[in-house]
Amino acid sequence: QKEVEQNSGPLSVPEGAIASLNCTYSDRVSQSFFWYRQYSGKSPELIMSIYSNGDKEDGRFTAQLNKASQYVSLLIRDSQPSDSATYLCAVKGDTGGFKTIFGAGTRLFVKA
Amino acid sequence: GAGVSQSPSNKVTEKGKDVELRCDPISGHTALYWYRQRLGQGLEFLIYFQGNSAPDKSGLPSDRFSAERTGESVSTLTIQRTQQEDSAVYLCASSLQEYYEQYFGPGTRLTVT
């Protein structure tokens, strides 16, 4: 059973701080990794995709991937109240029909 | 360009009735996915289509659920003899190819009374 684990939170950070969201996965052959943001009552929205080890930066967001440790994280710099949402980690392998496994999500609250 | 669209946005049906949900993927996207999300819960994979390959139906919860896709275009998810536990938001997503990121539609909120 392939699994993707996230802390459910809630994670609370003050405005302007760095929010750190973490995700571990069980399938060693996973190839593609994604972070989505989901506001309450809305559908998931893609934030970042990452395919190779290391860091990938996009604006205030940085995704970090460590395949040896089976770990992927998302850092949000200068957190804003509008970042308050549930963040979903998603992992896709190259076996099992390319099915994407989603974590249950981490709820983030950014306090003004 | 246009994103993934789904219809209807809301559907209220009586227990035992059949419902059909529609998804229009982003043009050119070969992969299409259906998910279910119950209130306060995570995404539950239902079915995946990739081009003309046989779909991955491993997530369908029962034989009351079925889905079709014609080529690389529209998909329909059909739920027969709906039950109250089918109440959820049904999300469709598409991706350019199977390795790439998925883009989600707005979802269909199904309520079974």
Side-chain angles (χ1 to χ4, degrees), chain A residues 15-52:
Chain A
E15 183 175 359
I18 296 175
S20 178
L21 305 165
N22 304 314
C23 172
T24 59
Y25 59 95
S26 63
D27 187 2
R28 284 195 168 273
V29 299
S30 298
Q31 296 293 327
S32 308
F33 306 85
F34 311 97
W35 282 99
Y36 288 85
R37 176 174 61 196
Q38 187 173 27
Y39 292 113
S40 181
K42 301 294 186 182
S43 60
E45 169 192 12
L46 179 73
I47 299 175
M48 298 275 289
S49 56
I50 186 167
Y51 302 95
S52 55

Side-chain angles (χ1 to χ4, degrees), chain A:
Chain A
Q1 179 79 6
K2 300 175 186 177
E3 294 183 346
V4 176
E5 299 287 342
Q6 296 180 255
N7 288 328
S8 61
L11 173 65
S12 184
V13 300
E15 183 175 359
I18 296 175
S20 178
L21 305 165
N22 304 314
C23 172
T24 59
Y25 59 95
S26 63
D27 187 2
R28 284 195 168 273
V29 299
S30 298
Q31 296 293 327
S32 308
F33 306 85
F34 311 97
W35 282 99
Y36 288 85
R37 176 174 61 196
Q38 187 173 27
Y39 292 113
S40 181
K42 301 294 186 182
S43 60
E45 169 192 12
L46 179 73
I47 299 175
M48 298 275 289
S49 56
I50 186 167
Y51 302 95
S52 55
N53 280 327
D55 294 1
K56 179 180 179 182
E57 186 176 318
D58 184 0
R60 296 186 297 113
F61 299 96
T62 299
Q64 299 174 318
L65 175 61
N66 184 325
K67 290 187 178 180
S69 300
Q70 295 175 240
Y71 175 88
V72 58
S73 66
L74 179 71
L75 300 177
I76 308 175
R77 290 181 299 282
D78 188 24
S79 296
Q80 301 297 309
S82 59
D83 295 326
S84 298
T86 296
Y87 289 79
L88 304 174
C89 172
V91 176
K92 184 180 292 190
D94 64 354
T95 59
F98 302 101
K99 186 168 63 181
T100 302
I101 308 298
F102 282 82
T106 298
R107 293 180 65 193
L108 173 66
F109 290 107
V110 181
K111 300 173 292 185

Side-chain angles (χ1 to χ4, degrees), chain B residues 2 8 11 26 33 40-41 50-51 55 69-70 75-76 84 88 100 103 108:
Chain B
K11 177 71 175 178
I26 294 172
Y33 308 78
Q41 304 296 311
Q50 169 58 42
R69 186 185 187 195
T70 304
S75 175
T76 56
Q84 287 188 325
Y100 297 117
Y103 295 90
T108 294

Side-chain angles (χ1 to χ4, degrees), chain B:
Chain B
V4 179
S5 61
Q6 293 186 246
S7 61
S9 55
N10 281 285
K11 177 71 175 178
V12 180
T13 189
E14 293 179 353
K15 178 181 173 181
K17 300 281 190 180
D18 297 352
V19 296
E20 191 172 279
L21 313 180
R22 176 186 170 106
C23 172
D24 279 275
I26 294 172
S27 179
H29 280 197
T30 63
L32 186 148
Y33 308 78
W34 283 99
Y35 297 91
R36 178 170 69 180
Q37 189 171 34
R38 293 193 168 109
L39 187 65
Q41 304 296 311
L43 295 176
E44 179 184 358
F45 167 78
L46 296 178
I47 188 168
Y48 157 72
F49 296 91
Q50 169 58 42
N52 294 316
S53 301
D56 178 351
K57 303 180 182 180
S58 60
L60 294 178
S62 76
D63 59 7
R64 297 187 296 105
F65 288 73
S66 62
E68 293 183 348
R69 186 185 187 195
T70 304
E72 296 180 355
S73 61
V74 171
S75 175
T76 56
L77 176 69
T78 301
I79 308 173
Q80 295 178 311
R81 305 181 303 281
T82 52
Q83 304 295 312
Q84 287 188 325
E85 62 262 27
D86 299 333
S87 295
V89 175
Y90 289 82
L91 292 162
C92 175
S94 71
S95 65
L96 185 60
Q97 293 182 27
E98 56 266 23
Y99 279 112
Y100 297 117
E101 56 272 12
Q102 298 174 35
Y103 295 90
F104 283 83
T108 294
R109 182 175 299 277
L110 175 66
T111 303
V112 182
T113 61

